[in-house]
Amino acid sequence: MKKIIYGISLWLACLGFLYLPSSSQAASGVVEFSASQTEVKKDDIVTVVCRVSSQEGFCDVTMKLSYDSDILQFVEGGKKVSGGDGHLSIKSIGNENTVATRTYSLQFVACGVGAVSVQLEGTPKILDSEGKKLSVSSNRIVLSVTERGQQEDAQDPAALPAEPTPTPVPLNTNTKLKALSIDAVTMSPQFNTEVLDYTIKVDCNTDKLYYNVIPANSKQRIRLKNNEELMPGENELKLVVTAESGDKRVFQLKVIKETEAETKVREQEEKGTSNITFSVYEKEGAIYIQNQYQFEVMNLEDQDILPSGYVKTNVDIDGKSVPAYTMQNDLDNNYLLMYLKGAADEPTLYQYDRQEKTLQRYTGTMTRKVNQGGNVASEVEVEPQTWMYGIIIALSILVLVLLIVILNMILRRRLNRGKKELNDMDF
């Protein structure tokens, strides 16, 4: 009897153990990826839905996803989704309400061709209301991207390898150029793709730099910066060559735009014209005069250099107001003085002819004539000393004539006196 009772008790104990609630078993959740279509064309927008669910309910979600960024480019996924370049992070934490499902809509653009999968990366962290971690199972979705105009691959995406490992194609890093030609007056030095600095001169009518370039390959991108509106003088431009890989090569172009006067002088020199046009231009705050030589207009600080009787004025040449010095008693005189500096000379006075538009170094002779109230035509007039010499010569001749007349009269008187004495002797 004791053995029977002991056996029945053991059997009841086993039954009781089997029916104890399994409170130690963790709740479970599912992460499921889906899309309206799994075969798309390049440049299409693709939406992948990530759905997290659990029958027991959950609060917080933290997980990471992976994809091939050479085929898919992430666009947006809402405030809870961040990342890109093949990795996304979904983080929804601090939730007080327990839910059975959370859904995240991930939008991509198909940027490459091939098969790509979107799947979990690592172990997700899904917590229930008590902060306990749910065990998670997940699937992955495989998308097939083809070129536009090509027939879609008939292969079943489900039959693709479980872990597609697309072979990345290395991006072209070439930033060199085969040739570069520019419509300009001069370019120095001649183009060499290894030389990055150039000096280019253009005429006064060039507002933008026109160029022709031959890239090393069709995947290069070429852009000329600061080429909106060229100003007279120096302009800094950059020619940027960007390779497919993103590597860059920057060519520095110093573009010198001529003024109207510089262009006119150069064109006349190229034609072999000897009559160089007189012109004025302004550069970096200084005024320059250009004929066959270039002069910089200077301020005359030492007034002792200036001849007496001259005052400062301004003369308008080619629309530029140029400091000059004119006669105080004849402000409209045709001849002016200017204080100029040549390319290698010290500043000195030059004489400017308003009518002929010519310059010559001031020596003092012509200005003295002008200062005395005459004009340039008086240069051919006789000097005062010449008049004196003429008067002396004239007086000398007059004295000589008077002497001859006096001697002639004396001789006549003596002759008459002799004749009279002879007559008296005869009687």
Side-chain angles (χ1 to χ4, degrees), residues 194-248:
E194 301 296 341
V195 178
L196 302 181
D197 295 288
Y198 296 89
T199 299
I200 299 165
K201 180 180 287 187
V202 297
D203 61 25
C204 63
N205 299 314
T206 302
D207 295 327
K208 297 180 66 176
L209 194 65
Y210 296 94
Y211 67 99
N212 184 35
V213 63
I214 301 178
N217 60 76
S218 60
K219 295 184 179 181
Q220 288 178 336
R221 299 192 306 275
I222 300 171
R223 181 186 176 190
L224 183 59
K225 296 183 177 180
N226 304 329
N227 193 30
E228 291 78 16
E229 183 176 356
L230 300 179
M231 303 299 292
E234 292 187 5
N235 299 264
E236 298 293 336
L237 276 66
K238 293 183 180 181
L239 184 68
V240 182
V241 182
T242 305
E244 181 187 18
S245 62
D247 295 345
K248 297 181 185 294

